[in-house]
Amino acid sequence: MSHITSLRDYLAALDAIGELRTVEAEVDWNLEAGAIIRRSYDLRAPAPLFTNLTGYGDSGFRLFGAPAALSDARHSLARLALSIGLPAEATGQQIVDALADARTKPGIEPVVVERAEAPCKQNIMLGDDIDLLKFPTPWIHGNDGGRYIQTFGANIVKTPDGSWTNWSINRMMIHDRSSLACLLPRTQQIGIIRSQWSEAGEPMPIAVALGVEPGLPIVSGMPLPQGVDESHYLGAVFGEGIEVVPAETVDLLVPATAEIVIEGYVAIEETVPEGPFNEYPGYNATEASPKAVLHVTAITHRDNAILPVVAAGPPVEEDDTVTGTASAAEILHLLREAGLPISSAWYNPEAALHWLTLAVRRDWHETTGLASHELVAKIADVVLGGPAAVHAPKTLVVEDDVDITNLAEVVWAFATRSHPDIDRGEFHYPRKLTDPLAIYLSEDEQHGFSAGKVIYNCLLADLYPAERRPAKGSFENGWPAEIQQRVLEGWTRYGYR
């Protein structure tokens, strides 16, 4: 795969296909930039690159919005595809397959480069020079509780014994010029590692890398198993290690081409107010709460640094494209590893991480001898048994004659194939690990990270003999091949473009 090794090379690749819009007009970091980013999601417009931020006009700092959002119909997943080295025209299933296939390969360690060769070391702030407000960090949503500098980067931590380094995406809000308020859920891997540091009586060293090469946020949002280093996995995706460099004040390696790297320590018990901040379910957040505080010990950055920004909210934005696609890839890998006849997996981005769709090979009944309820039970054992499906309260299982990346086809299959009887069409599983942000959860479910989940059975193969199985009456299935070809070749002759 083609390895884009820096955010700047990624911007050039987007520009080459018309997916970048440089905004030279003055734009206020206070709400205006966030509103433009949000509007660009709604229109599937090119990603905005702001070069003239109010109050920062001569600084050279820039903001880059909608870094992995959907594009227009020509190449709707171009930003995601380019990020992992695929052509801009790659389909959702090709992207998921590439990520799932890399899970079967051995990881490749990063390559450590000299400090002098690392662009992220061009400027270094230490001691009294540390100032987070130096950057044009936006106030994104009108109801946010502050300026969020970390919405699309990589938080890098490792266990006290050094055996496991974890890369993740968790939001961080500027508290003052030298500290951040951090959302570090205890059930996520960064929270698990933090608890180990707390048990050892020490604050957790951390590096927050912003404006990194585009593949890193993808794998940082992927629910890999505990003990797996996301940077090694990304090396497997590309067939070569990413470039890293030692941090200045913490014992961590950071991406050499990062635009901004914030180093510091997460306090053991100290908290500061954080939020509200809109999140992936798509509703306005209304409450602040005490969160962990990160005390900054160093900031390094490139000249004219670029800060990526996600304006989270209703679909489709990066929570849906990045977390959804990466999670689907991990689920696909686990199902294949279990020997189940799964063709593909997809979190339909329009459903805001609430809806996972699985495609099963059409010959599943003949090859496994299972009834659909038995296959669903095996799928549930894999999908609902771990953190990969924390965002899957509702799962649909269909045969692979359905394009599961096409929401219209998924809705059609769900409506016409799922029996409303709970003994055939719906299978409920209580008290499964769940993300607490779904708005329908009770307080007990939110605090316990546990709630019921459901799998909808849309399978047909065990209901009909193969020769009588319902076939989709589509253009491809409903007319002889020569008629299809005649229509395709004569499309403009009929007066269509």
Side-chain angles (χ1 to χ4, degrees):
M1 294 188 187
S2 175
H3 185 182
I4 296 178
T5 59
S6 73
L7 177 63
R8 300 188 187 202
D9 287 346
Y10 176 58
L11 296 181
L14 292 181
D15 197 25
I17 61 171
E19 279 301 318
L20 184 71
R21 182 62 44 81
T22 300
V23 181
E24 297 178 348
E26 181 176 341
V27 172
D28 200 329
W29 57 265
N30 188 9
L31 299 182
E32 185 180 6
I36 294 170
I37 295 168
R38 185 69 246 179
R39 180 68 171 156
S40 78
Y41 293 138
D42 297 340
L43 300 178
R44 294 196 180 186
L49 176 65
F50 304 102
T51 62
N52 184 7
L53 284 305
T54 300
Y56 294 87
D58 298 328
S59 69
F61 293 130
R62 293 165 283 175
L63 297 180
F64 171 47
L70 293 182
S71 304
D72 63 24
R74 292 172 300 161
H75 32 54
S76 64
L77 294 168
R79 297 176 212 178
L80 207 58
L82 292 173
S83 295
I84 64 165
L86 295 179
E89 299 77 18
T91 66
Q93 291 187 11
Q94 289 170 334
I95 293 169
V96 169
D97 276 343
L99 292 171
D101 288 346
R103 284 283 284 116
T104 66
K105 302 173 183 176
I108 299 177
E109 293 186 17
V111 177
V112 181
V113 302
E114 297 294 330
R115 281 178 165 82
E117 301 173 11
C120 71
K121 301 293 188 180
Q122 288 172 337
N123 302 272
I124 300 175
M125 294 185 228
L126 298 168
D128 292 340
D129 292 333
I130 292 171
D131 187 5
L132 291 165
L133 301 177
K134 180 178 180 179
F135 304 103
T137 303
W139 198 297
I140 301 172
H141 312 94
N143 54 300
D144 285 351
R147 299 168 70 175
Y148 278 81
I149 195 168
Q150 162 58 314
T151 58
F152 196 73
N155 303 323
I156 309 163
V157 299
K158 66 180 177 181
T159 53
D161 65 5
S163 63
W164 171 32
T165 298
N166 174 255
W167 304 58
S168 66
I169 302 179
N170 300 82
R171 73 190 194 213
M172 294 187 180
M173 185 186 86
I174 294 177
H175 176 64
D176 58 29
R177 66 197 305 270
S178 62
S179 65
L180 297 170
C182 311
L183 176 65
L184 306 177
R186 58 182 173 82
T187 58
Q188 293 183 12
Q189 292 180 358
I190 191 171
I192 293 169
I193 292 175
R194 185 194 176 203
S195 70
Q196 294 183 18
W197 284 97
S198 298
E199 288 168 6
E202 298 180 43
M204 179 176 70
I206 188 169
V208 181
L210 307 170
V212 295
E213 60 178 82
L216 271 172
I218 309 301
V219 302
S220 295
M222 191 168 180
L224 297 174
Q226 290 187 32
V228 175
D229 185 318
E230 285 77 5
S231 68
H232 293 201
Y233 166 68
L234 188 60
V237 171
F238 290 122
E240 62 180 7
I242 68 169
E243 292 191 345
V244 294
V245 64
E248 296 295 309
T249 59
V250 293
D251 181 23
L252 292 165
L253 296 172
V254 301
T257 64
E259 296 288 328
I260 302 168
V261 178
I262 301 169
E263 305 174 16
Y265 293 83
V266 176
I268 299 175
E269 295 182 349
E270 182 184 356
T271 62
V272 291
E274 186 271 342
F277 183 72
N278 290 1
E279 275 282 8
Y280 75 84
Y283 298 88
N284 278 351
T286 58
E287 295 181 0
S289 60
K291 298 292 196 313
V293 60
L294 189 168
H295 292 292
V296 179
T297 54
I299 302 175
T300 70
H301 67 88
R302 297 185 67 157
D303 294 335
N304 304 317
I306 305 168
L307 176 65
V309 180
V310 169
V316 174
E317 40 92 351
E318 283 76 7
D319 286 298
D320 313 305
T321 59
V322 172
T323 305
T325 303
S327 297
E330 178 65 10
I331 288 169
L332 178 60
H333 165 69
L334 294 173
L335 289 167
R336 286 175 172 174
E337 194 174 49
L340 297 178
I342 307 299
S343 299
S344 193
W346 187 247
Y347 273 92
N348 299 95
E350 299 86 351
L353 296 179
H354 288 61
W355 200 348
L356 168 70
T357 306
L358 303 175
V360 181
R361 290 201 316 264
R362 270 166 277 186
D363 65 353
W364 67 266
H365 183 52
E366 289 83 0
T367 57
T368 68
L370 298 171
S372 61
H373 71 276
E374 295 172 319
L375 180 57
V376 166
K378 290 181 177 294
I379 289 171
D381 286 342
V382 176
V383 171
L384 303 184
V390 67
H391 294 299
K394 305 170 184 73
T395 299
L396 275 63
V397 182
V398 302
E399 272 104 3
D400 62 8
D401 62 322
V402 175
D403 177 0
I404 61 174
T405 67
N406 183 329
L407 183 62
E409 288 201 28
V410 173
V411 171
W412 166 73
F414 180 34
T416 61
R417 301 185 185 186
S418 179
H419 198 297
D421 192 318
I422 60 173
D423 294 326
R424 163 73 198 183
E426 297 182 19
F427 298 90
H428 293 264
Y429 300 87
R431 294 183 295 281
K432 295 296 182 180
L433 179 66
T434 193
D435 189 278
L437 293 177
I439 64 168
Y440 57 77
L441 296 175
S442 68
E443 281 194 34
D444 287 345
E445 289 170 327
Q446 290 174 340
H447 295 151
F449 297 90
S450 177
K453 300 198 172 188
V454 60
I455 296 181
Y456 294 100
N457 176 16
C458 306
L459 298 173
L460 299 175
D462 60 335
L463 296 180
Y464 299 88
E467 68 276 6
R468 291 187 51 242
R469 201 161 294 156
K472 183 167 56 175
S474 61
F475 177 79
E476 294 79 8
N477 288 346
W479 285 265
E482 63 271 19
I483 298 297
Q484 293 181 42
Q485 188 65 25
R486 185 191 308 174
V487 169
L488 293 174
E489 292 175 351
W491 197 245
T492 54
R493 180 168 56 85
Y494 306 140
Y496 292 100
R497 292 184 180 181

